[in-house]
Amino acid sequence: MSFNTFGHLFRVTTWGESHGPAIGCTVDGCPPGIPLTEADLQPWLDKRKPGTSKFTTQRKEPDEVRILSGVFEGVTTGTPIQLMIENTDQRSKDYGDIATAFRPGHADITYHQKYGVRDYRGGGRSSARETAARVAAGGVARAVLARLMPGVQISGYMVQMGTQGIDRSRFDAGQIGENPFWCPDPVAATEWATYLDDLRLSHNSVGAVIEVVATGVPAGLGAPLYGKLDSDLAAAMMSINAVKAVEIGDGMASAALTGVENADEIRMGADGPEFLSNHAGGILGGISTGQPVVCRFAVKPTSSILTPRQTINQRGEEIDLITKGRHDPCVGIRAVPVGEAMMACVILDHLLRDRGQTGGVRGVIGGQ
Amino acid sequence: MSFNTFGHLFRVTTWGESHGPAIGCTVDGCPPGIPLTEADLQPWLDKRKPGTSKFTTQRKEPDEVRILSGVFEGVTTGTPIQLMIENTDQRSKDYGDIATAFRPGHADITYHQKYGVRDYRGGGRSSARETAARVAAGGVARAVLARLMPGVQISGYMVQMGTQGIDRSRFDAGQIGENPFWCPDPVAATEWATYLDDLRLSHNSVGAVIEVVATGVPAGLGAPLYGKLDSDLAAAMMSINAVKAVEIGDGMASAALTGVENADEIRMGADGPEFLSNHAGGILGGISTGQPVVCRFAVKPTSSILTPRQTINQRGEEIDLITKGRHDPCVGIRAVPVGEAMMACVILDHLLRDRGQTGGVRGVIGGQ
Amino acid sequence: MSFNTFGHLFRVTTWGESHGPAIGCTVDGCPPGIPLTEADLQPWLDKRKPGTSKFTTQRKEPDEVRILSGVFEGVTTGTPIQLMIENTDQRSKDYGDIATAFRPGHADITYHQKYGVRDYRGGGRSSARETAARVAAGGVARAVLARLMPGVQISGYMVQMGTQGIDRSRFDAGQIGENPFWCPDPVAATEWATYLDDLRLSHNSVGAVIEVVATGVPAGLGAPLYGKLDSDLAAAMMSINAVKAVEIGDGMASAALTGVENADEIRMGADGPEFLSNHAGGILGGISTGQPVVCRFAVKPTSSILTPRQTINQRGEEIDLITKGRHDPCVGIRAVPVGEAMMACVILDHLLRDRGQTGGVRGVIGGQ
Amino acid sequence: MSFNTFGHLFRVTTWGESHGPAIGCTVDGCPPGIPLTEADLQPWLDKRKPGTSKFTTQRKEPDEVRILSGVFEGVTTGTPIQLMIENTDQRSKDYGDIATAFRPGHADITYHQKYGVRDYRGGGRSSARETAARVAAGGVARAVLARLMPGVQISGYMVQMGTQGIDRSRFDAGQIGENPFWCPDPVAATEWATYLDDLRLSHNSVGAVIEVVATGVPAGLGAPLYGKLDSDLAAAMMSINAVKAVEIGDGMASAALTGVENADEIRMGADGPEFLSNHAGGILGGISTGQPVVCRFAVKPTSSILTPRQTINQRGEEIDLITKGRHDPCVGIRAVPVGEAMMACVILDHLLRDRGQTGGVRGVIGGQ
């Protein structure tokens, strides 16, 4: 990953600012002959779209994606796919007073220090709006995976909001799309609605933990040592705005385990090796095991809040700042489809890299 | 990061297997004119070296590093620096019985599945022995930082072993080198000695959490959006053997915070902006703030234990396996200097990338 | 260079097809604070624009470039610059009969074989139209060079059309913009007009040799061994449509020289070393010498001609094909601004890479 | 290609100086399961080895290559292959007088200016000795190609020495290994012996043109637009020491052709498309056509000659310099196996990249 490009064979370069004319991305290295239209991408963008409930920003953006290149007569041609999303709701006046102030928790001050200049309108390049481009690219990755590896399923959901975690015993995948939090625990979802509403009304915000799981990923993806599947997932998730931690499998909790507990024992199943547990999160030595790939990441609370915070401005004056505007009380909600998109891109990139190096041939175990 | 290379301008390519004739790395893109001898690198390798206490593997490796290129008359020339460490203690017979068995928690099975062939001696390429090459490269990065940015200090230590965390109120940096665990809390260090000895004697092992902090890093390092400083740190740390999670600043805990709590408020100090807290871990929007860069990672327990675990072998037969040999009961101990090395390499790479793009010029705040 | 991206720190990713809605590029890694508007880029695009004389294709394209991101309040922000050029004159019916035929000398057959699908309208991605995006990116590079290294001047011109070379004794830089061929020899320019008109009227086309010279490039740019300045120039020029050869300095002719003749002897001038000749074309060991960087490339004749040629179609049928449409009789003419743009991008990329690695410090000679 | 690494999936990183303890390279991304021993590599190194006739340097180097990693039980494991060649004949005293002088035509002055420091012994990193590492890597590439694409044959030879070209009507591939010049024309080879001996005895040297042809390359390799097969070949060949020009197919001569002449007409053969000529050198639009891939490059005369040349030294003093030592009167001779090695590496890299993106599937023509 370097600058605004990620991926090695399936490469995504994003561009655009929150309040410029448009944002978008170039998807390069896409396999040819994959059916693709805007209609394949739009549902993923709609999932991330602002303004779908009172728990996300009220900014109104249709987030309509256009394919400008790389697709001909309904299929990918193997050439770069340009995806563009026009910005339509650019109420720049909402942000006028932050032109010279540095909002705490935001990248205002670091962009200013690094570049000496910044687009202050809505955070400019550092806005979460950039993640729409990732979701569009993820849609392309999903379309390719559907052809090359149809068994792969990618699902993201929220497992913790603020101090409130889900109860894993109530986990119901069918519930994920039934509440505004992508929460698989219906009881938690109900509680979170009140919890978040209270925070919102008290001019506050809160963090979250998102889990993204990919099932159906075959053994053998990942390119050790510095292109490990988990290493690339860590970079991908950490690159999402507001993410402060990434876990694979048991993650931080694995520190508290003993070797006896942590060993994912292996038995021989009808279709090959079977693991009796998945502390590893589906990755050993940077290479997928065939078990579900499990990745979690923590999203910090939205920094834009209506409670005044102490800060400075460009002239070095100390001020108290309220960040007006239309903000998500829990930006983690909209990070769910973004995390899914990054998972899709990383897995596809590794699928292509693996078949480049090994031809996709797998080592035999038993009479496989 | 791709395959066995990491870094963009300061690039490190490692090579070698646990029981081959040697391991090493090529450090490319190093600034010229930096004083460098083997004596500058050896202390870091000695810190990671096995066999220094009963709490690390009893394998005896002098880990003597040789500089084969890129240095002339005591200074770097700007050309690739080849660092080679010969493997001297290769008791291959210790590992004979795992030639066809897949040790649970190890990469044996995934290397076999991906490549169809693997060097089974001591884990081959997936051995923690590879990290010696990283430490050597980190030594070069430190030597360069000492010249280009002498205020940077990088310090790693263990903050949790198994279920036992340190007491932050007893944090004493001077203690870190005084116990075999790189533990800054002398009370915890004493307790851990008993704790780990018990685990070792019961043929078990345990995980750990390592914290690496870089102070003196100026504001402005990091290349958003996919070359963010935290994204590169996440990839770097996750690429270390046995690491399962990476945190920046408050990490996973930031999910439980509110926006009011999480805001690192800013005041104007004598030398420029000052933050009243550091929940962000020194990074906002992927760019350093000038505060300490704080990174933590979890290391899973050593998978090689003397307690039998269920597994299979290459013929698909189900077996019980004891992993004999000379293993670390807590591989996290030796991960401390490795984490420091990765931090040094990442920071230097970003320093070079930043002065490439911006010329090192910084935006002005107040009368700075 | 990989896929549709070139450059290491100053990175350009192009996208788009000849007859799609638009073409464009993302310029990433651009230094911040550089004044930039569409008006800075348009003159370079106008230079390459079709339809400016009877010697170039009569396709009418205004080639108006829009900056969609990366520039705020008139200066670059250090974030990705998206440049988009809409395709307005897409007479797809002109190309209808080549939907299934493979035009000799074109990439039709290889795109079909590699990808199994291709955008046959006007050559799709392999069209010379893509070079408009390079010229736009080159305009950005020139704007940056004007700030960082104002002494650099880049000039391209045609030195041979078909069998007709210029007379170097008549070289007059002032003439380059005064004829439709970018020819520095006014006599040759007159002769070429007749020569090319005859070829055009006889339904033929012809090749050319372009020379691009950069003066004011300081010593020290280039990153041996695989990022040599000449190596990157060779890749850059060879990537331009229809280019079949690249020369640095004396190029192919250097094979016929003796060592005594070829030595560029060095004397000490007022401002440092001075070379008595420039057989090397300003590059030694992959690093610039401070002399003019001299690069030449050969462009093959336009493959689209009205003279029937034998070929096959997708069904494997043998046919005779006339390529109708509005084609350049000498595509080399429009390659001149493209070659200049590639030179600008390569030099700027190396300037940034050099200051990244060395900080821009130079070794001293004499009392410099 | 960047710094000291080339290739995208099959990646080679070279290191080492002429008079350091060793040189070598890391070959990363190699497909697993390929039989490989030192005996597979040594013949290619022997072909490049100095001192095999009076027409090459009399430096005595056995150039014995050792495989330090990445191969286990006789086959590649998919992990990095480290190849090391020790320098044994390091008569540093031969080079003593050039410690501070800049040899005309050499990289002495540019390395000094860029890095401020240089290893002056035998040219250090800029020595042609580095090419031994390329030849070793090329040997690995050939071993892989022999497995994955056994029809590929790569052959290099000299087609021009100084002013003396071969007569193509006497081309006899069987002659290439029968003379010290890799010359396919036995009459020219005899004449060259006298020609070069005269030059050598008159303390002079001379340039050459090398042609490298790869047959059996299937259609479809190459990744437009900036990873074109010809673009990567141009970069690869231009990165070889002393190379000043690269041609594909008709190369510079294509500028003098008309479109009617240049069209490689296509007919349908028993096994698919057949071209009636190969002006394109086997590449259209950056993608291989299935015809022989034809690449030529010009090597300038050896700059180290016994005839005094004017130059300066580090103190800025003007001097006359004779470059003593054991030098090749025509360094182009030893560039032949180097050019072959680069061709092998580039083709293999593109084979892996292609099967990564497309899965190796090809578009159908006729009833194929």
Side-chain angles (χ1 to χ4, degrees):
Chain A
M1 308 224 307
S2 67
F3 295 106
N4 293 280
T5 300
F6 67 93
H8 198 73
L9 285 187
F10 184 81
R11 295 163 75 88
V12 179
T13 303
T14 75
W15 56 271
E17 281 86 41
S18 175
H19 285 58
I23 61 167
C25 64
T26 310
V27 176
D28 201 4
C30 185
I34 308 293
L36 189 75
T37 66
E38 277 95 350
D40 296 309
L41 306 179
Q42 198 60 48
W44 308 113
L45 283 156
D46 291 347
K47 210 172 156 183
R48 194 212 72 100
K49 197 167 65 174
T52 52
S53 83
K54 66 179 171 182
F55 300 113
T56 59
T57 171
Q58 296 307 299
R59 178 170 171 165
K60 298 291 183 204
E61 284 288 1
D63 274 358
E64 278 178 21
V65 64
R66 285 183 64 201
I67 299 175
L68 295 185
S69 66
V71 175
F72 183 61
E73 297 184 338
V75 298
T76 60
T77 60
T79 63
I81 301 170
Q82 180 61 226
L83 304 173
M84 185 171 75
I85 301 161
E86 289 186 57
N87 293 324
T88 58
D89 185 10
Q90 309 154 19
R91 299 195 210 164
S92 288
K93 57 184 168 304
D94 283 356
Y95 297 93
D97 54 342
I98 58 157
T100 60
F102 302 123
R103 296 168 298 169
H106 277 281
D108 298 339
I109 192 166
T110 52
Y111 270 67
H112 173 76
Q113 288 183 299
K114 183 181 185 75
Y115 298 118
V117 57
R118 68 189 171 92
D119 182 344
Y120 49 75
R121 301 167 305 164
R125 180 69 183 150
S126 71
S127 166
R129 180 137 190 77
E130 184 267 349
T131 60
R134 304 178 187 230
V135 171
V140 177
R142 284 185 192 256
V144 180
L145 285 171
R147 281 280 159 147
L148 299 189
M149 206 184 273
V152 173
Q153 295 292 327
I154 294 167
S155 175
Y157 40 86
M158 191 179 285
V159 295
Q160 183 184 329
M161 177 184 283
T163 56
Q164 318 290 309
I166 64 165
D167 181 338
R168 292 261 173 185
S169 71
R170 287 195 298 256
F171 193 105
D172 176 0
Q175 288 293 318
I176 294 171
E178 301 302 311
N179 60 73
F181 311 112
W182 314 109
C183 177
D185 169 355
V187 178
T190 306
E191 292 166 356
W192 291 357
T194 310
Y195 177 68
L196 191 57
D197 224 25
D198 288 352
L199 282 160
R200 186 172 64 88
L201 295 172
S202 65
H203 296 176
N204 212 338
S205 63
V206 78
V209 177
I210 312 301
E211 185 166 284
V212 181
V213 175
T215 55
V217 177
L221 303 195
L225 286 173
Y226 302 106
K228 284 179 172 174
L229 185 57
D230 38 2
S231 186
D232 279 359
L233 283 172
M237 299 310 177
M238 194 66 95
S239 75
I240 301 172
N241 304 48
V243 171
K244 299 304 289 181
V246 183
E247 301 190 315
I248 302 294
D250 281 3
M252 293 306 293
S254 61
L257 296 179
T258 65
V260 169
E261 294 162 340
N262 185 62
D264 294 321
E265 295 182 297
I266 316 174
R267 299 284 80 184
M268 201 62 193
D271 301 322
E274 283 180 5
F275 293 84
L276 303 184
S277 54
N278 190 16
H279 297 287
I283 302 174
L284 286 173
I287 303 173
S288 61
T289 64
Q291 286 203 287
V293 174
V294 180
C295 182
R296 264 183 317 284
F297 55 91
V299 183
K300 72 179 183 183
T302 313
S303 298
S304 298
I305 49 177
L306 288 167
T307 303
R309 299 279 82 193
Q310 301 182 87
T311 189
I312 60 173
N313 62 22
Q314 212 167 306
R315 290 180 298 278
E317 298 159 347
E318 301 193 333
I319 57 174
D320 275 18
L321 190 70
I322 287 173
T323 308
K324 292 179 197 156
R326 301 154 295 165
H327 303 294
D328 295 270
C330 177
V331 75
I333 297 172
R334 289 170 61 215
V336 172
V338 181
E340 291 179 335
M342 297 309 280
M343 176 69 87
C345 290
V346 169
I347 286 177
L348 175 57
D349 186 37
H350 274 284
L351 171 60
L352 302 186
R353 290 163 72 173
D354 178 71
R355 77 176 181 182
Q357 187 185 10
T358 73
V361 178
R362 287 290 92 104
V364 172
I365 295 176
Q368 263 185 321
Chain B
M1 309 222 307
S2 67
F3 295 105
N4 293 281
T5 299
F6 67 95
H8 198 72
L9 285 187
F10 184 82
R11 295 163 75 90
V12 178
T13 303
T14 74
W15 56 270
E17 281 86 40
S18 175
H19 285 60
I23 60 168
C25 65
T26 311
V27 176
D28 201 4
C30 185
I34 308 293
L36 189 75
T37 67
E38 277 95 349
D40 296 308
L41 306 179
Q42 199 58 50
W44 308 114
L45 283 156
D46 291 346
K47 211 172 153 181
R48 195 210 72 99
K49 198 168 64 176
T52 51
S53 83
K54 66 179 171 182
F55 301 112
T56 59
T57 171
Q58 296 307 299
R59 179 171 172 165
K60 299 288 181 207
E61 284 289 0
D63 275 359
E64 277 178 22
V65 63
R66 285 183 64 199
I67 298 175
L68 295 185
S69 67
V71 174
F72 183 60
E73 296 184 343
V75 297
T76 61
T77 60
T79 63
I81 302 170
Q82 180 62 225
L83 304 173
M84 186 170 75
I85 301 161
E86 289 186 58
N87 293 325
T88 57
D89 185 10
Q90 308 154 20
R91 297 196 210 162
S92 286
K93 57 184 167 304
D94 282 358
Y95 296 91
D97 55 342
I98 59 156
T100 60
F102 303 123
R103 296 168 298 168
H106 277 281
D108 298 339
I109 191 166
T110 52
Y111 270 68
H112 173 76
Q113 288 183 297
K114 183 181 186 73
Y115 299 119
V117 58
R118 67 188 171 93
D119 182 343
Y120 50 74
R121 301 167 303 165
R125 180 69 182 151
S126 71
S127 167
R129 180 135 190 78
E130 184 267 349
T131 60
R134 303 177 188 231
V135 171
V140 177
R142 284 186 193 255
V144 179
L145 286 169
R147 282 281 159 145
L148 299 189
M149 204 183 273
V152 172
Q153 295 291 328
I154 294 168
S155 175
Y157 41 86
M158 192 179 285
V159 295
Q160 183 184 327
M161 177 185 284
T163 55
Q164 318 290 310
I166 64 165
D167 181 337
R168 292 261 174 186
S169 71
R170 287 195 297 256
F171 193 105
D172 177 359
Q175 289 292 319
I176 294 171
E178 301 301 312
N179 60 73
F181 311 112
W182 315 109
C183 177
D185 170 355
V187 178
T190 306
E191 292 166 356
W192 292 357
T194 310
Y195 178 67
L196 190 57
D197 225 23
D198 288 351
L199 281 161
R200 186 172 63 88
L201 294 173
S202 65
H203 296 176
N204 211 340
S205 63
V206 79
V209 177
I210 312 301
E211 185 166 283
V212 181
V213 175
T215 55
V217 177
L221 303 195
L225 287 172
Y226 302 106
K228 284 179 172 174
L229 184 57
D230 37 2
S231 186
D232 279 359
L233 282 172
M237 299 310 177
M238 195 66 95
S239 76
I240 301 172
N241 304 47
V243 171
K244 300 304 288 182
V246 182
E247 301 189 315
I248 302 294
D250 282 4
M252 293 306 293
S254 62
L257 295 180
T258 65
V260 170
E261 294 162 341
N262 184 63
D264 294 320
E265 295 183 297
I266 316 174
R267 298 284 81 184
M268 202 62 195
D271 302 322
E274 282 180 4
F275 293 84
L276 303 184
S277 53
N278 191 15
H279 297 288
I283 302 173
L284 286 172
I287 304 172
S288 61
T289 63
Q291 285 202 286
V293 174
V294 180
C295 183
R296 264 183 316 285
F297 55 90
V299 183
K300 70 179 184 184
T302 313
S303 298
S304 299
I305 48 177
L306 288 167
T307 302
R309 299 281 81 194
Q310 301 181 87
T311 190
I312 61 173
N313 63 21
Q314 212 166 306
R315 289 180 299 278
E317 297 160 346
E318 301 192 333
I319 56 172
D320 275 19
L321 190 70
I322 288 173
T323 307
K324 292 179 196 155
R326 301 154 294 165
H327 303 294
D328 296 90
C330 176
V331 74
I333 298 171
R334 289 169 60 214
V336 172
V338 182
E340 290 179 334
M342 296 309 280
M343 175 69 87
C345 290
V346 169
I347 287 177
L348 176 58
D349 187 37
H350 274 284
L351 171 61
L352 302 186
R353 289 163 72 173
D354 178 70
R355 76 176 181 181
Q357 186 185 11
T358 73
V361 178
R362 287 290 94 103
V364 173
I365 295 176
Q368 262 186 321
Chain C
M1 309 224 306
S2 67
F3 295 106
N4 292 280
T5 299
F6 67 92
H8 197 73
L9 286 187
F10 184 81
R11 295 163 74 90
V12 178
T13 303
T14 75
W15 55 271
E17 281 86 40
S18 175
H19 285 60
I23 61 169
C25 65
T26 310
V27 176
D28 202 3
C30 184
I34 308 294
L36 189 75
T37 67
E38 278 94 348
D40 295 309
L41 306 179
Q42 198 60 50
W44 308 113
L45 283 155
D46 292 347
K47 210 174 155 182
R48 195 212 70 102
K49 197 167 66 175
T52 51
S53 82
K54 66 178 172 182
F55 300 113
T56 60
T57 170
Q58 296 307 300
R59 178 171 173 166
K60 297 290 181 205
E61 284 288 1
D63 274 358
E64 277 178 21
V65 65
R66 286 184 64 202
I67 299 175
L68 295 185
S69 68
V71 174
F72 184 60
E73 296 184 338
V75 297
T76 60
T77 60
T79 62
I81 302 169
Q82 180 61 224
L83 304 173
M84 186 171 74
I85 301 161
E86 290 186 58
N87 293 325
T88 58
D89 184 11
Q90 308 154 20
R91 297 194 211 164
S92 288
K93 57 184 168 301
D94 283 356
Y95 296 93
D97 54 341
I98 59 157
T100 59
F102 301 123
R103 296 168 299 168
H106 277 280
D108 299 339
I109 191 166
T110 52
Y111 270 67
H112 173 77
Q113 288 183 298
K114 183 181 186 74
Y115 298 119
V117 57
R118 68 189 171 91
D119 181 344
Y120 50 75
R121 300 167 305 165
R125 180 69 182 151
S126 71
S127 166
R129 180 137 191 77
E130 184 267 350
T131 59
R134 304 178 187 229
V135 170
V140 177
R142 284 184 193 257
V144 180
L145 285 170
R147 282 279 160 150
L148 299 189
M149 204 184 275
V152 172
Q153 295 292 328
I154 294 168
S155 175
Y157 41 86
M158 192 179 285
V159 295
Q160 183 184 328
M161 177 185 283
T163 54
Q164 318 289 309
I166 64 165
D167 180 338
R168 293 261 173 185
S169 71
R170 287 195 297 255
F171 193 106
D172 176 0
Q175 289 292 319
I176 294 171
E178 301 302 312
N179 60 73
F181 310 112
W182 314 109
C183 177
D185 170 356
V187 178
T190 306
E191 292 166 356
W192 291 358
T194 311
Y195 176 67
L196 190 58
D197 224 24
D198 288 352
L199 281 160
R200 185 172 64 87
L201 294 172
S202 64
H203 296 175
N204 212 340
S205 64
V206 80
V209 177
I210 312 301
E211 185 167 285
V212 181
V213 175
T215 55
V217 176
L221 303 194
L225 287 172
Y226 301 107
K228 284 179 173 175
L229 184 57
D230 37 2
S231 186
D232 279 359
L233 282 172
M237 299 309 176
M238 194 66 95
S239 76
I240 301 172
N241 304 48
V243 170
K244 302 301 290 181
V246 183
E247 302 190 314
I248 302 294
D250 282 3
M252 294 305 294
S254 62
L257 295 180
T258 66
V260 170
E261 293 162 340
N262 184 62
D264 293 321
E265 295 183 297
I266 316 175
R267 299 284 81 184
M268 201 63 194
D271 302 322
E274 283 179 6
F275 293 84
L276 303 184
S277 53
N278 191 16
H279 296 286
I283 302 173
L284 285 173
I287 304 172
S288 61
T289 63
Q291 285 203 287
V293 174
V294 180
C295 182
R296 265 183 315 285
F297 54 92
V299 183
K300 71 180 184 183
T302 313
S303 297
S304 298
I305 48 177
L306 287 167
T307 302
R309 298 280 82 193
Q310 302 182 86
T311 188
I312 62 173
N313 63 21
Q314 213 166 306
R315 290 181 299 278
E317 297 160 346
E318 300 193 334
I319 56 173
D320 275 19
L321 190 71
I322 287 173
T323 307
K324 293 177 197 158
R326 300 154 296 165
H327 303 293
D328 295 270
C330 176
V331 75
I333 297 171
R334 290 170 60 213
V336 172
V338 182
E340 290 179 336
M342 297 308 281
M343 175 69 87
C345 290
V346 169
I347 286 177
L348 175 58
D349 186 38
H350 274 284
L351 171 61
L352 301 186
R353 290 163 72 173
D354 178 70
R355 76 177 181 182
Q357 186 185 10
T358 73
V361 177
R362 288 289 94 104
V364 173
I365 295 176
Q368 266 186 320
Chain D
M1 309 224 305
S2 67
F3 295 108
N4 293 281
T5 299
F6 67 93
H8 197 74
L9 286 187
F10 184 81
R11 295 163 74 90
V12 179
T13 303
T14 74
W15 56 270
E17 282 85 40
S18 175
H19 284 60
I23 61 168
C25 64
T26 311
V27 176
D28 201 4
C30 185
I34 308 293
L36 189 75
T37 67
E38 277 96 349
D40 295 309
L41 306 179
Q42 199 59 50
W44 308 113
L45 283 156
D46 291 346
K47 211 172 155 183
R48 195 211 72 99
K49 199 167 63 174
T52 51
S53 82
K54 66 179 171 181
F55 300 113
T56 60
T57 170
Q58 296 307 301
R59 180 170 171 165
K60 298 290 181 204
E61 284 288 2
D63 275 358
E64 277 178 22
V65 64
R66 285 184 63 201
I67 299 174
L68 295 185
S69 68
V71 175
F72 184 60
E73 297 184 340
V75 296
T76 60
T77 60
T79 62
I81 302 169
Q82 180 61 225
L83 304 173
M84 186 171 75
I85 302 161
E86 289 186 58
N87 292 324
T88 57
D89 185 10
Q90 308 153 21
R91 298 195 211 163
S92 288
K93 58 184 168 303
D94 283 356
Y95 297 92
D97 55 343
I98 59 156
T100 60
F102 302 124
R103 296 168 298 167
H106 277 280
D108 298 339
I109 192 165
T110 53
Y111 270 68
H112 174 77
Q113 288 183 297
K114 182 180 186 76
Y115 298 118
V117 57
R118 67 187 172 93
D119 182 343
Y120 50 75
R121 300 167 304 165
R125 179 69 182 150
S126 71
S127 165
R129 178 135 192 77
E130 183 267 349
T131 60
R134 304 177 187 229
V135 170
V140 177
R142 285 185 191 255
V144 179
L145 285 170
R147 282 279 159 149
L148 299 189
M149 205 184 275
V152 172
Q153 295 291 330
I154 294 168
S155 174
Y157 40 87
M158 191 179 286
V159 295
Q160 183 184 329
M161 178 185 283
T163 55
Q164 318 289 309
I166 64 164
D167 180 338
R168 292 262 173 184
S169 71
R170 286 194 299 253
F171 193 105
D172 176 1
Q175 288 294 318
I176 294 171
E178 301 301 313
N179 60 73
F181 310 112
W182 315 108
C183 177
D185 169 356
V187 178
T190 306
E191 292 165 356
W192 291 357
T194 310
Y195 177 67
L196 190 58
D197 224 25
D198 288 352
L199 281 160
R200 186 173 64 87
L201 295 173
S202 65
H203 296 177
N204 211 340
S205 64
V206 79
V209 177
I210 313 300
E211 186 167 283
V212 181
V213 175
T215 55
V217 177
L221 303 194
L225 288 172
Y226 303 106
K228 284 179 172 174
L229 184 57
D230 37 2
S231 187
D232 279 359
L233 282 173
M237 299 309 177
M238 195 67 95
S239 76
I240 301 172
N241 304 47
V243 170
K244 301 303 289 182
V246 182
E247 301 189 315
I248 302 294
D250 282 5
M252 295 305 293
S254 62
L257 294 180
T258 65
V260 170
E261 294 162 342
N262 184 62
D264 294 320
E265 296 183 295
I266 316 175
R267 300 283 82 183
M268 201 63 194
D271 302 321
E274 282 180 6
F275 293 84
L276 302 185
S277 54
N278 191 16
H279 296 288
I283 302 174
L284 286 173
I287 304 172
S288 61
T289 63
Q291 284 201 287
V293 174
V294 180
C295 182
R296 265 183 314 286
F297 55 91
V299 183
K300 70 179 185 184
T302 312
S303 297
S304 298
I305 48 177
L306 288 167
T307 303
R309 298 281 81 195
Q310 300 181 89
T311 188
I312 61 173
N313 63 21
Q314 213 166 305
R315 289 181 300 277
E317 298 159 347
E318 301 193 332
I319 56 173
D320 275 17
L321 190 71
I322 287 173
T323 307
K324 293 179 196 157
R326 301 155 293 165
H327 303 294
D328 295 270
C330 176
V331 74
I333 297 171
R334 289 170 59 215
V336 172
V338 181
E340 290 179 335
M342 297 309 280
M343 175 70 86
C345 290
V346 169
I347 286 177
L348 176 58
D349 187 37
H350 274 284
L351 171 61
L352 302 185
R353 290 163 72 173
D354 178 71
R355 77 175 181 183
Q357 186 185 11
T358 73
V361 178
R362 288 290 94 101
V364 172
I365 295 175
Q368 266 185 318

